[in-house]
Amino acid sequence: MWSQVIRQLDTHSLLLMDIHERRLLFGHNVRDIRESQDLSQRRLAAMINSNQSYLWEIETGRTSVGFDIICRIADALDVSERDLFDWSRQPQATI
């Protein structure tokens, strides 16, 4: 019985890590595209009718993002929503 509980906890932990990793990758994509267009967080936040701190939370993977915000970010950056979810993009190292 305990082995089943432990196995479920391990599976649940992996799922949570996977979700967190996806949030991080999404945030990296938003940041990389934003920076490639020489946009500040403040400017992009204004373009999506949001605020800089919420955009920072998105870019650092600290928050879940709703569909409407995803669409507004894609529109503001002039990319497809799919581009924001391109997990093959490699995060750029910051100096």
Side-chain angles (χ1 to χ4, degrees), residues 20-79:
H20 180 70
E21 183 177 68
R22 289 178 188 180
R23 284 183 186 167
L24 285 172
L25 290 171
F26 177 83
H28 281 294
N29 287 346
V30 170
R31 181 181 326 149
D32 288 346
I33 295 168
R34 174 182 61 77
E35 289 177 347
S36 75
Q37 297 181 14
D38 292 323
L39 289 172
S40 67
Q41 278 185 340
R42 182 170 293 178
R43 178 69 184 130
L44 179 57
M47 293 168 71
I48 64 171
N49 197 28
S50 186
N51 59 60
Q52 183 179 356
S53 62
Y54 182 58
L55 185 57
W56 175 83
E57 288 178 357
I58 292 170
E59 290 185 354
T60 56
R62 286 175 166 75
T63 190
S64 184
V65 184
F67 183 73
D68 292 346
I69 291 289
I70 292 168
C71 291
R72 284 191 265 167
I73 291 170
D75 290 346
L77 295 174
D78 196 27
V79 298

Side-chain angles (χ1 to χ4, degrees), residues 3 5 7 9 13 42 45 48 61 63 65 74 81 90 95:
S3 62
V5 171
R7 209 176 4 240
L9 286 174
S13 296
R42 182 170 293 178
I48 64 171
T63 190
V65 184
E81 289 80 2
Q90 295 296 314
I95 299 174

